Amino acid sequence: MSTKSSPKSLNRRDLLVSLGGAPALVALSCSDRERAEEVVAAANTDLRGVSWDKAPCRFCGTGCGVEVGVREGKVVAVRGDEASPVNKGLLCVKGYHLPGFLYGEDRLLQPQRRKPDGSLETISWDDALDLIAERYSAALAEHGPESVAVYGSGQWTVHDGYAALKWVKAGMRSNNIDPNARLCMASAVMGFMTQFGSDEPMGCYEDFEEGDDFVLWGNNMAEMHPVLYSRILETKRRRGDVRIVDIATRRTPTTEFADTYLEIQPGSDLALANGVLHILFRDGLTDRAFIEENLVFKRGVEDLDEIGYGCFGEQSERYTFRDRPTASSYEEMEAFLADYSPARVSELTGLSVAQIESLGRLYGERNRGTVSLWCMGVNQHVRGTWMNNLINDIHLVTGKISRPGSNPFSLTGQPSACGTAREVGTLSNRLPADMVVTNEAHRARAEEIWGLEPGTINPRPGYHAVDMFRAFARGDLKTLWVQVTNPMVSLPNLARFEREPDDGRFLVVSDIYPTPTTAVADLILPSAAWVEREGVFGNTERRSQQWNQMVAPPGEAMEDAKQIIEVAKRMGMGHLFPWPDDNWHEPLFEEYRKFTLGNGKDVASYQQLKSARGLRWPVVDGKETLYRYAAGHDPYVTKRTGTHFYKAKANGERAAVWLRPYHPPAESPDEEFPFWLSTGRLLEHWHTGSMTRRVAELHQAAPAAYVEINTADARALGVQHGANVKLVSRRGEMVLPAHVAQRGDPPAGSVFVPFFDEEALINLLTLDAMDNISKEPDYKKCAVRIELA
């Protein structure tokens, strides 16, 4: 473990070139036109006769702007959009290779139905859509709204998600709709909701130029959000006093550019965050005036036996724990934090007392802007909401929030996890614009916009993602439609969801390629992808971005929203989508927009988005908002100066500071399983790899999964780099090649495996423990042993 590292000093382009490696993987910026021409020439790409149009990138939640080059009905090139405020012409390795994911040899082109013998037969769209309508109608008639479900995605466009939400909640009167964003961003959602009464960050990407100190909590930005990390590094290059702190459980490429590396024990981040708060309270580094004006204190259920982990005993079938908030105070929090002295936190985290003190003082420096950044390391956590609460707490009690260069900033992993899953509200308990089905006034508002009879919307939340697939495995769910995601790779404890032939249930899967999920589907539908259809994504900084259809989809592929609308019509629910077949994208979006207006979530009009490189909500009088809740920035704040948390209605428009204790992980190493296992992504591939593994350059750069093993552990086990080893957990086993002293370097007693490889399903080993509030699974902490293969 080390406190200080010697960070590399390089510019934005150098960072991405170093991460990409080979020339074919170079990221290009507006200053790299000469290099761009070299790469194009090397690829023998002739750009004569190419037409260009704007779009957001299809991959992560950064929302980089790209210019898409089309010739003769095919996407032949992309380049970073210099006019995009997000990336300013820069792209990462995946973005530069966007065209390749559209043109894999095995694109799904026609609907296919599985026959009794397990083989597939091609059928017409009419037959496929009729079949879906029949199966959903039959399940509703025989078993009611609890028996049907839709599992969607943070890759859904706003149109897709809104169509699905309206069909499920207004048409079928069910709340069994949830996205794969439940697996990655739900803890951030509940952190924001429990503290501010509204989801999503208050800051924006300008924080990367305005901030002085950047604290990364379990967040490998160099690989997961390289364009954003490059903005921080450029700020550091320009201003030598900028500091980067990498808090992590293993060394990654991010570590190489950080000033300080804090290596903690898995799951001990709760203790560390409380230790920081202890120092702030102990040393008088809290902003008492800000606290008195803007904050309240709260406490919830803390008993571990009552809360559980969502995976043992009765909770292993349905996990429905609900927190019970009670009022607290500054004084009670001060007493609570006495248990988190630097000495005790040192024991729990493995950090030295000096390291903990230094981090606390960094957050307490009032004349420096501090930005906290996190993603899956915090969210995929059995107490992920608590960790989000604690990071937000640090910013709240110091007043370092809703200010340029001082904000807690959760990053997202999918292109529209924010715009669709979170803003449209495609979760089992939500409606658009922060509304929830359990609130009578919210249901009434949705019924008014949708023209429904009062009482139509079901007030009971549906299944969250993990419980949805548990219910499908039990047979309680009869019909399930999966769109734009690959759960048979991405779900935790994967073996429990395996299907048996003739199990009496019906699974529909819409995708662009064959996957392990289509392999168990009863009906497979070919979808249009990215610029093969029109759409809107919403990125991490609240930026809505629209793009036009630029090429026709291959074969008979159809966009996902259109598939849903056609099924709804066949079920007698066509009145929910009363727009012409050739002109429905804009009116559908404008109906959704009605939910957002007047409540601080105002998205821009469709026409505004068509002409802009995205706009950050709330958009009022045509002007976007950089900093929410901040006087002089947010149009809903009427103060001349300061902050107003106007969305936190339940707390008298004050943000909530939560007291949240340390709880241990659900499973820890022991004598039988002595190693920690953590899973995640890597630079070259995205999520389950179903798109990026079909891009030759990306596949060649990282062709298969592996297990990172610490050098000392490898030596003790007699394992050489490249040798196969067997990982074994209480749930499954997997043979993988060992990577020793390579890109990532886990500490002794810990291993890491990326999950992009559908031929090496690491989630057969993971545990389906989950957060008590968000119900997001913890993919970062379970116990395994290593055997020689």
Side-chain angles (χ1 to χ4, degrees):
M1 179 193 316
S2 66
T3 303
K4 283 288 183 183
S5 58
S6 299
K8 294 180 180 178
S9 178
L10 72 173
N11 62 29
R12 297 179 74 202
R13 177 181 176 274
D14 290 339
L15 166 70
L16 281 103
V17 170
S18 71
L19 291 173
L25 305 186
V26 170
L28 306 174
S29 75
C30 56
S31 62
D32 295 324
R33 289 303 167 195
E34 183 178 344
R35 179 61 179 150
E37 292 170 2
E38 292 174 7
V39 172
V40 168
N44 297 315
T45 302
D46 181 358
L47 298 182
R48 289 176 295 181
V50 172
S51 61
W52 299 89
D53 201 354
K54 69 174 177 73
C57 179
R58 173 58 180 80
F59 294 123
C60 81
T62 298
C64 289
V66 299
E67 290 184 285
V68 182
V70 175
R71 183 176 56 208
E72 297 178 358
K74 184 175 181 178
V75 176
V76 295
V78 295
R79 61 192 182 198
D81 187 352
E82 296 179 36
S84 169
V86 172
N87 54 310
K88 304 173 185 178
L90 191 65
L91 292 178
C92 82
V93 51
K94 293 186 292 294
Y96 185 63
H97 288 91
L98 275 163
F101 93 84
L102 294 173
Y103 299 115
E105 294 179 356
D106 55 345
R107 271 294 294 264
L108 297 173
L109 302 176
Q110 296 171 302
Q112 299 174 81
R113 177 172 54 198
R114 195 167 304 281
K115 297 191 292 185
D117 64 3
S119 63
L120 293 170
E121 63 176 344
T122 299
I123 61 174
S124 70
W125 267 110
D126 280 337
D127 286 346
L129 297 169
D130 287 346
L131 179 59
I132 300 171
E134 289 168 9
R135 294 302 295 251
Y136 271 96
S137 296
L140 287 168
E142 296 174 27
H143 305 285
E146 292 296 305
S147 69
V148 296
V150 171
Y151 184 60
S153 174
Q155 301 159 63
W156 260 345
T157 67
V158 168
H159 297 91
D160 299 333
Y162 187 73
L165 178 84
K166 192 176 184 184
W167 175 52
V168 173
K169 300 202 175 191
M172 295 192 290
R173 304 187 179 190
S174 174
N175 286 317
N176 287 337
I177 178 173
D178 219 45
N180 64 0
R182 178 75 68 178
L183 310 182
C184 58
M185 292 312 306
S187 296
V189 173
M190 293 311 299
F192 286 122
M193 291 299 295
T194 55
Q195 294 185 275
F196 306 101
S198 182
D199 186 22
E200 297 194 41
M202 54 289 301
C204 60
Y205 292 165
E206 277 80 350
D207 283 333
F208 302 141
E209 284 74 47
E210 298 289 340
D212 300 305
D213 297 319
F214 299 89
V215 183
L216 281 55
W217 291 82
N219 182 18
N220 180 11
M221 280 188 78
E223 291 196 86
M224 303 307 104
H225 298 89
V227 170
L228 298 184
Y229 198 44
S230 74
R231 287 180 64 161
I232 294 174
L233 292 184
E234 176 63 15
T235 299
K236 183 174 177 60
R237 186 188 67 80
R238 289 187 293 101
R239 292 196 281 118
D241 65 336
V242 169
R243 298 177 294 192
I244 301 172
V245 179
D246 179 28
I247 304 170
T249 58
R250 76 187 236 276
R251 285 182 172 273
T252 67
T254 298
T255 313
E256 300 307 309
F257 304 98
D259 299 275
T260 302
Y261 173 53
L262 301 178
E263 188 174 281
I264 62 172
Q265 289 293 311
S268 67
D269 46 2
L270 288 159
L272 180 58
N274 274 313
V276 169
L277 288 163
H278 172 101
I279 293 165
L280 296 173
F281 275 68
R282 181 199 68 191
D283 294 350
L285 299 176
T286 60
D287 188 332
R288 295 300 296 271
F290 183 88
I291 291 169
E292 291 295 324
E293 182 179 358
N294 295 293
L295 307 182
V296 298
F297 290 79
K298 296 210 168 222
R299 202 162 185 171
V301 178
E302 297 172 7
D303 180 70
L304 179 55
D305 290 335
E306 179 180 349
I307 295 170
Y309 293 108
C311 61
F312 304 125
E314 293 182 359
Q315 292 181 347
S316 67
E317 288 300 330
R318 189 161 192 182
Y319 189 35
T320 58
F321 169 83
R322 294 185 65 182
D323 204 10
R324 297 188 300 278
T326 58
S328 186
S329 65
Y330 186 97
E331 293 72 25
E332 185 178 9
M333 186 168 194
E334 192 168 29
F336 167 86
L337 292 170
D339 287 339
Y340 295 94
S341 67
R344 182 182 180 228
V345 172
S346 175
E347 295 174 0
L348 292 170
T349 62
L351 298 176
S352 70
V353 168
Q355 289 173 312
I356 298 162
E357 292 278 4
S358 178
L359 183 62
R361 288 194 298 273
L362 180 149
Y363 272 110
E365 292 186 49
R366 295 187 180 182
N367 62 337
R368 291 179 66 84
T370 308
V371 181
S372 297
L373 295 147
W374 68 96
C375 201
M376 298 306 109
V378 165
N379 293 333
Q380 292 176 338
H381 192 310
V382 290
R383 297 295 179 263
T385 300
W386 288 11
M387 259 313 295
N388 275 267
N389 288 157
L390 291 174
I391 295 173
N392 291 333
D393 283 354
I394 292 169
H395 284 266
L396 286 168
V397 300
T398 56
K400 290 187 171 186
I401 194 165
S402 293
R403 291 163 38 188
S406 268
N407 282 296
F409 207 129
S410 75
L411 299 174
T412 47
Q414 298 187 83
S416 204
C418 288
T420 302
R422 297 165 72 169
E423 293 162 25
V424 174
T426 61
L427 294 105
S428 58
N429 65 322
R430 285 169 71 93
L431 293 163
D434 290 334
M435 298 198 300
V436 293
V437 298
T438 52
N439 185 300
E440 184 177 1
H442 293 176
R443 296 195 305 274
R445 174 62 176 154
E447 287 163 351
E448 177 187 7
I449 291 174
W450 286 340
L452 306 175
E453 289 293 322
T456 297
I457 296 174
N458 188 336
R460 181 187 178 191
Y463 291 115
H464 56 80
V466 174
D467 275 0
M468 179 182 290
F469 282 89
R470 289 170 172 176
F472 191 64
R474 288 194 306 269
D476 293 345
L477 275 181
K478 308 300 181 184
T479 303
L480 173 62
W481 192 347
V482 174
Q483 286 194 330
V484 207
T485 188
N486 191 9
M488 293 302 108
V489 175
S490 60
L491 286 170
N493 194 5
L494 198 53
R496 71 172 296 175
F497 305 116
E498 292 177 355
R499 292 192 69 188
E500 296 292 334
D502 301 319
D503 60 13
R505 300 183 290 281
F506 191 70
L507 177 63
V508 185
V509 177
S510 300
D511 212 321
I512 64 173
Y513 288 111
T515 68
T517 306
T518 64
V520 298
D522 301 289
L523 182 65
I524 303 168
L525 303 180
S527 292
W530 194 38
V531 296
E532 296 168 354
R533 44 83 55 88
E534 182 176 343
V536 174
F537 283 158
N539 80 346
T540 298
E541 62 165 349
R542 299 172 280 109
R543 183 183 297 274
S544 306
Q545 301 187 84
Q546 186 272 350
W547 73 92
N548 300 318
Q549 181 180 1
M550 301 179 203
V551 296
E556 299 177 18
M558 182 188 299
E559 66 179 286
D560 298 284
K562 185 64 172 173
Q563 296 173 22
I564 291 166
I565 291 170
E566 289 301 318
V567 169
K569 289 178 178 178
R570 285 163 167 78
M571 294 176 67
M573 302 173 189
H575 62 284
L576 298 176
F577 306 99
W579 307 295
D581 287 344
D582 60 350
N583 182 29
W584 57 271
H585 289 89
E586 183 169 353
L588 181 149
F589 183 89
E590 290 299 331
E591 181 183 276
Y592 155 64
R593 182 170 174 254
K594 291 178 183 178
F595 284 92
T596 73
L597 299 179
N599 62 9
K601 304 283 287 192
D602 315 56
V603 297
S605 73
Y606 206 67
Q607 286 300 312
Q608 287 175 301
L609 294 178
K610 284 178 77 73
S611 61
R613 256 54 176 189
L615 291 168
R616 290 167 286 195
W617 57 261
V619 179
V620 177
D621 296 329
K623 184 179 179 182
E624 66 176 354
T625 298
L626 273 67
Y627 295 97
R628 299 177 75 193
Y629 314 125
H633 289 280
D634 189 331
Y636 284 87
V637 175
T638 57
K639 289 180 176 181
R640 285 191 172 186
T641 61
T643 306
H644 180 196
F645 298 109
Y646 57 87
K647 292 287 288 182
K649 305 296 185 185
N651 300 324
E653 300 190 356
R654 292 167 176 256
V657 174
W658 285 88
L659 287 64
R660 299 296 198 189
Y662 166 77
H663 277 184
E667 182 176 87
S668 297
D670 55 21
E671 187 175 346
E672 184 179 4
F673 299 95
F675 289 88
W676 289 106
L677 167 65
S678 178
T679 68
R681 293 198 286 122
L682 73 167
L683 174 72
E684 292 87 352
H685 287 295
W686 194 72
H687 282 212
T688 64
S690 59
M691 293 182 290
T692 51
R693 291 186 79 209
R694 286 171 169 86
V695 179
E697 295 86 350
L698 300 178
H699 179 63
Q700 290 165 7
Y706 50 83
V707 53
E708 293 178 358
I709 301 177
N710 175 268
T711 302
D713 288 334
R715 187 181 304 116
L717 291 164
V719 174
Q720 300 291 322
H721 172 69
N724 282 340
V725 298
K726 181 189 290 186
L727 292 187
V728 183
S729 78
R730 291 179 172 85
R731 292 154 295 281
E733 59 185 45
M734 177 70 54
V735 175
L736 293 164
H739 274 208
V740 182
Q742 298 298 302
R743 178 189 311 197
D745 187 14
S750 180
V751 299
F752 171 84
V753 179
F755 70 92
F756 71 89
D757 188 348
E758 64 184 31
E759 294 164 11
L761 298 175
I762 192 59
N763 280 316
L764 291 169
L765 279 68
T766 54
L767 179 65
D768 51 343
M770 64 188 90
D771 177 68
N772 55 317
I773 297 173
S774 71
K775 309 305 186 288
E776 179 171 340
D778 188 335
Y779 293 91
K780 304 301 182 184
K781 296 175 286 295
C782 72
V784 297
R785 67 173 178 265
I786 303 173
E787 300 176 358
L788 299 180

